[in-house]
């Protein structure tokens, strides 16, 4: 029972201070050995491992910086390509619209010439031309363009169509 009674009389604050002092002493001794090895140019396994880890960390950091720079360059290059592709698509779209408008104009004007020359035209040809004109007007409206060339031709076609309907020529 005596040993148990002695345990209850231990001064725990003194024990804590003593343990802390021993740890500080060990740290001081280790630091002293490190300093001595460093001054003598000697390297322990622990010091070599610590140095290699530090070098690896520096290399990894530099590699990440290079990758980030490369990534930023790639993003800029990609943005420029996207902008160029977008501009090219806009140009192609405008060229397609212009071609469609020109083709429709050509078809309407040629049909008007055939009608004005008195060449035979059937009802389907007239209806097709009127349908093309409606598409033509819609494209012009969607692209904020004005009609100027085809109106006279359409007046001629509409008059000839009405006349043929009245005369029963179809």
């Amino acid at each position: 029972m005596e040993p148990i009674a002695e345990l209850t009389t231990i001064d725990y604050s003194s024990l804590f201070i003593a343990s802390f002092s021993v740890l500080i002493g060990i740290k001081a001794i280790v630091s002293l050995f490190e300093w001595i090895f460093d001054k003598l140019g000697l390297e322990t396994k622990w010091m070599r491992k610590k140095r290699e880890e530090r070098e690896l960390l520096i290399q990894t950091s530099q590699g990440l910086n290079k990758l980030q720079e490369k990534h930023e360059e790639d993003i800029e290059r990609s943005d420029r390509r996207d902008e160029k592709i977008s501009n090219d698509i806009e140009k192609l779209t405008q060229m397609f619209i212009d071609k469609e408008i020109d083709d429709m104009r050509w078809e309407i004007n040629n049909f008007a010439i055939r009608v004005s020359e008195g060449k035979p035209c059937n009802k389907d040809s007239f209806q097709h031309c009127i349908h093309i004109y409606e598409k033509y007007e819609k494209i012009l409206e969607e692209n904020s363009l004005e009609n100027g060339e085809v109106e006279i031709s359409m007046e001629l076609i509409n008059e000839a169509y009405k006349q043929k309907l009245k005369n029963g020529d179809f």
Side-chain angles (χ1 to χ4, degrees), residues 7 12 21 66 68 73 156:
L7 283 176
Y12 287 105
S21 297
K66 288 178 183 177
Q68 185 176 4
E73 289 174 11
L156 178 68

Side-chain angles (χ1 to χ4, degrees), residues 13-50:
S13 62
S14 297
L15 182 64
F16 176 72
I17 291 173
S19 300
F20 190 69
S21 297
V22 168
L23 291 175
I24 289 176
I26 291 172
K27 173 67 176 155
I29 292 171
V30 168
S31 295
L32 179 65
F33 280 124
E34 284 180 4
W35 181 79
I36 291 171
F37 283 130
D38 187 43
K39 290 298 178 185
L40 294 176
L42 300 174
E43 188 175 51
T44 63
K45 286 183 182 179
W46 178 74
M47 290 171 64
R48 184 177 58 238
K49 185 176 180 182
K50 187 176 177 182

Side-chain angles (χ1 to χ4, degrees), residues 88-131:
D88 289 347
I89 288 173
E90 285 179 30
K91 287 177 186 175
L92 286 172
T93 302
Q94 190 58 46
M95 288 172 58
F96 178 75
I97 290 170
D98 291 345
K99 172 111 174 76
E100 284 294 305
I101 289 171
D102 288 344
D103 288 350
M104 289 177 182
R105 255 188 216 141
W106 182 259
E107 189 172 347
I108 292 168
N109 287 335
N110 278 347
F111 189 72
I113 290 170
R114 284 183 54 205
V115 168
S116 68
E117 291 176 347
K119 293 184 178 176
C121 300
N122 61 18
K123 186 176 184 179
D124 290 335
S125 298
F126 276 98
Q127 289 175 344
H128 173 73
C129 189
I130 292 169
H131 179 70

Side-chain angles (χ1 to χ4, degrees), residues 55-105:
E55 289 173 357
L56 180 62
L57 183 63
I58 290 171
Q59 287 176 347
T60 303
S61 175
Q62 290 171 345
L64 286 174
N65 286 337
K66 288 178 183 177
L67 281 174
Q68 185 176 4
E69 290 171 6
K70 177 78 170 129
H71 178 68
E72 289 172 2
E73 289 174 11
D74 289 346
I75 287 174
E76 287 177 22
R77 194 174 318 130
S78 176
D79 288 345
R80 285 192 303 269
R81 285 183 187 153
D82 288 350
E83 187 176 329
K84 185 176 184 284
I85 288 170
S86 177
N87 289 339
D88 289 347
I89 288 173
E90 285 179 30
K91 287 177 186 175
L92 286 172
T93 302
Q94 190 58 46
M95 288 172 58
F96 178 75
I97 290 170
D98 291 345
K99 172 111 174 76
E100 284 294 305
I101 289 171
D102 288 344
D103 288 350
M104 289 177 182
R105 255 188 216 141

Side-chain angles (χ1 to χ4, degrees), residues 145-160:
L145 299 171
E146 294 182 11
N147 181 5
E149 297 182 28
V150 179
E151 288 177 358
I152 297 171
S153 296
M154 279 312 294
E155 287 176 16
L156 178 68
I157 292 169
N158 284 332
E159 287 176 19

